[in-house]
mmCIF file of all heavy atoms in Angstrom:
data_model
loop_
_atom_site.group_PDB
_atom_site.id
_atom_site.type_symbol
_atom_site.label_atom_id
_atom_site.label_comp_id
_atom_site.label_asym_id
_atom_site.label_seq_id
_atom_site.Cartn_x
_atom_site.Cartn_y
_atom_site.Cartn_z
ATOM 1 N N GLY A 405 130.505 159.621 81.224
ATOM 2 C CA GLY A 405 131.473 160.693 81.021
ATOM 3 C C GLY A 405 131.726 161.481 82.288
ATOM 4 O O GLY A 405 132.866 161.859 82.582
ATOM 5 N N ARG A 406 130.679 161.727 83.070
ATOM 6 C CA ARG A 406 130.851 162.436 84.339
ATOM 7 C C ARG A 406 131.696 161.620 85.308
ATOM 8 O O ARG A 406 132.569 162.167 85.996
ATOM 9 C CB ARG A 406 129.482 162.750 84.962
ATOM 10 C CG ARG A 406 128.692 163.801 84.217
ATOM 11 C CD ARG A 406 127.560 164.352 85.068
ATOM 12 N NE ARG A 406 126.611 163.313 85.472
ATOM 13 C CZ ARG A 406 125.535 162.967 84.762
ATOM 14 N NH1 ARG A 406 125.292 163.560 83.597
ATOM 15 N NH2 ARG A 406 124.709 162.039 85.208
ATOM 16 N N ALA A 407 131.465 160.316 85.352
ATOM 17 C CA ALA A 407 132.255 159.460 86.241
ATOM 18 C C ALA A 407 133.710 159.424 85.792
ATOM 19 O O ALA A 407 134.629 159.444 86.614
ATOM 20 C CB ALA A 407 131.672 158.047 86.259
ATOM 21 N N GLY A 408 133.941 159.423 84.481
ATOM 22 C CA GLY A 408 135.308 159.381 83.966
ATOM 23 C C GLY A 408 136.087 160.651 84.216
ATOM 24 O O GLY A 408 137.322 160.640 84.184
ATOM 25 N N ALA A 409 135.393 161.753 84.482
ATOM 26 C CA ALA A 409 136.062 163.034 84.722
ATOM 27 C C ALA A 409 136.387 163.260 86.192
ATOM 28 O O ALA A 409 136.957 164.302 86.548
ATOM 29 C CB ALA A 409 135.174 164.167 84.205
ATOM 30 N N LEU A 410 136.051 162.325 87.056
ATOM 31 C CA LEU A 410 136.325 162.484 88.486
ATOM 32 C C LEU A 410 137.830 162.444 88.759
ATOM 33 O O LEU A 410 138.576 161.761 88.061
ATOM 34 C CB LEU A 410 135.645 161.368 89.280
ATOM 35 C CG LEU A 410 134.118 161.370 89.310
ATOM 36 C CD1 LEU A 410 133.614 160.095 89.973
ATOM 37 C CD2 LEU A 410 133.594 162.600 90.039
ATOM 38 N N PRO A 411 138.294 163.163 89.791
ATOM 39 C CA PRO A 411 139.712 163.073 90.170
ATOM 40 C C PRO A 411 140.022 161.681 90.715
ATOM 41 O O PRO A 411 139.119 160.959 91.150
ATOM 42 C CB PRO A 411 139.857 164.142 91.253
ATOM 43 C CG PRO A 411 138.478 164.338 91.788
ATOM 44 C CD PRO A 411 137.546 164.094 90.641
ATOM 45 N N PRO A 412 141.310 161.284 90.711
ATOM 46 C CA PRO A 412 141.675 159.911 91.096
ATOM 47 C C PRO A 412 141.158 159.475 92.457
ATOM 48 O O PRO A 412 140.698 158.343 92.612
ATOM 49 C CB PRO A 412 143.210 159.943 91.056
ATOM 50 C CG PRO A 412 143.543 161.010 90.071
ATOM 51 C CD PRO A 412 142.476 162.051 90.224
ATOM 52 N N GLU A 413 141.189 160.376 93.448
ATOM 53 C CA GLU A 413 140.746 159.976 94.778
ATOM 54 C C GLU A 413 139.244 159.702 94.800
ATOM 55 O O GLU A 413 138.755 158.812 95.513
ATOM 56 C CB GLU A 413 141.105 161.036 95.828
ATOM 57 C CG GLU A 413 140.478 162.407 95.628
ATOM 58 C CD GLU A 413 141.278 163.312 94.693
ATOM 59 O OE1 GLU A 413 142.183 162.808 93.998
ATOM 60 O OE2 GLU A 413 140.991 164.527 94.684
ATOM 61 N N ALA A 414 138.483 160.447 93.982
ATOM 62 C CA ALA A 414 137.039 160.220 93.903
ATOM 63 C C ALA A 414 136.736 158.930 93.145
ATOM 64 O O ALA A 414 135.776 158.219 93.469
ATOM 65 C CB ALA A 414 136.346 161.408 93.240
ATOM 66 N N VAL A 415 137.549 158.628 92.136
ATOM 67 C CA VAL A 415 137.382 157.377 91.388
ATOM 68 C C VAL A 415 137.603 156.181 92.306
ATOM 69 O O VAL A 415 136.835 155.212 92.301
ATOM 70 C CB VAL A 415 138.338 157.320 90.185
ATOM 71 C CG1 VAL A 415 138.327 155.936 89.549
ATOM 72 C CG2 VAL A 415 137.962 158.377 89.153
ATOM 73 N N LEU A 416 138.657 156.241 93.129
ATOM 74 C CA LEU A 416 138.937 155.138 94.054
ATOM 75 C C LEU A 416 137.796 154.969 95.052
ATOM 76 O O LEU A 416 137.365 153.845 95.335
ATOM 77 C CB LEU A 416 140.254 155.368 94.789
ATOM 78 C CG LEU A 416 140.657 154.260 95.776
ATOM 79 C CD1 LEU A 416 140.774 152.920 95.066
ATOM 80 C CD2 LEU A 416 141.956 154.629 96.472
#
Side-chain angles (χ1 to χ4, degrees):
R406 290 196 300 270
L410 293 172
E413 61 274 13
V415 171
L416 181 58

